[in-house]
Amino acid sequence: MRLWHHRSVRTRLAVVSGVVMALMCIAASMAVLFTVHETAQTYTTRAVVDTAERLGYASVHEPLPPMMLDEAVAGVQVIDRGGRIVSTTAGIAGRPRMADVRPARPGPQVLPGECRSPAFPGRCVTVAAFRVPGGADGHVVYAADYDVPWHVSGRLLTTLACITFALSVLTACGTYLAVRRALEPVDAVTEKLATITATDLSRRVPVSKFRDELRRLAEAANQTLDRAELAVEQQRRFASDVSHDLRSPLTAMRAEIEGAMLDPEHADWRATGTALLDSLDRLQAMVADLLHLAKLDAGAARPGPERIDLAGLAARELDRRPRKVEVVRDLMPGVIVTGDRLSLARLLGNLLDNGERHATSKLWVTVRQEDGEATLDVQDDGSGIPPEYREVVFQRFTRLDQAREKDAGGTGLGLSIARQIAQTHGGTLTVEDSAVGARFVLRLPAAAP
């Protein structure tokens, strides 16, 4: 299937190339016509001058007959001192004198482009007037020939026009065929892309065997399809995880209500309400996390220009929280970063929540600055995270088995939100080696003093 868009591209390029070739051929033809015209006109001028000189010198030795044979030029006249025509060629016999000029001294005088000669009405001629030296009573010999037209000859003009037309058509056809062949891979890519749907992103466009622009286009399209397939898969997995995690508190709430409804007179409605509130708190926390993730994905939660003391922010966050475990602080003052205070506070809060959830009895919080980089460490004394799961824990709705055993109320979104906040601030959040427990390290660019 050939798409009209590509056909129109081929047609436009063919027309443009044909027009360009036609213009080039016209310019070349004009140059050829000019050169040939000048050469032919020079030849004509030389011919009339030679004829006038030859007959002039011949008349010195012997008078010319009243009726001369036709020469190679259009006409010849011999004028005496009194202005009478004493000799002429048969072709212009009976015509008036072709020119009134009389050279002041012996020798030829050329009158180019004479278009008002009485002997050649309606025609432009080149006239050569030759004053006979010495004898012959001051006779003047006139020789004239028709000027060369701008097109030199009809045959030459026709030939150049045919060459221009042929080259223009050949160029347009060649361009059309070349572009059609060059766009065949684009047609193949377009046809393949047209068959790819959101439900089937596993297909890929064909890649040209030549390492050219079309190959790079196909490779870029395949890379885009790879990213789209990954994004769709992540969205599917995300939707599945959301539905699963939302189902758990909803199921618990339904079970509490159904259990109480079975025996409403003896049901402990206060305990039922408390259980429902716990499930609602979990739902509310999950919805809040999902909304924050949506803002981060959309780029709405961008860091502001505020200068923030990282140690002061960590100290205030620790002071306002009820302590579940012992917290050891090592906060270097004067570590300044630039960003959004609320977002960084949320990041720190998520790390502290995670650390307290997995700590056995102690939590270490450290802030320092090294080589222009601000670093915040949150380390617990829990069971730690195996190396193969250190990236997995940052995926959405990911909760390791030990996390579920310690606390079944988490959403599995805190660490993912924390990493995205770090990335929007130009930093990183990773799990690094530690002697005990899990050690989360946040690195942010330090602000200039």
Side-chain angles (χ1 to χ4, degrees), residues 206-221:
V207 178
S208 173
K209 62 181 179 180
F210 302 106
R211 294 189 175 276
D212 53 10
E213 292 81 359
L214 296 178
R215 181 186 179 94
R216 292 198 293 272
L217 172 64
E219 291 175 345

Side-chain angles (χ1 to χ4, degrees), residues 308-376:
I308 302 167
D309 185 338
L310 192 58
L313 180 66
R316 284 190 293 273
E317 189 68 20
L318 289 171
D319 290 340
R320 74 173 186 84
R321 299 168 63 90
R323 299 185 181 181
K324 299 180 181 179
V325 295
E326 179 186 355
V327 178
V328 178
R329 308 185 187 188
D330 183 9
L331 307 179
M332 176 188 294
V335 179
I336 307 298
V337 296
T338 302
D340 181 73
R341 183 179 298 274
L342 292 178
S343 295
L344 291 178
R346 185 181 183 92
L347 185 157
L348 180 57
N350 289 353
L351 291 181
L352 293 175
D353 288 340
N354 181 79
E356 291 177 351
R357 186 179 301 118
H358 296 89
T360 302
S361 60
K362 186 177 294 187
L363 193 67
W364 291 269
V365 179
T366 305
V367 173
R368 63 183 182 277
Q369 179 174 340
E370 295 178 356
D371 300 327
E373 191 174 58
T375 304
L376 183 144

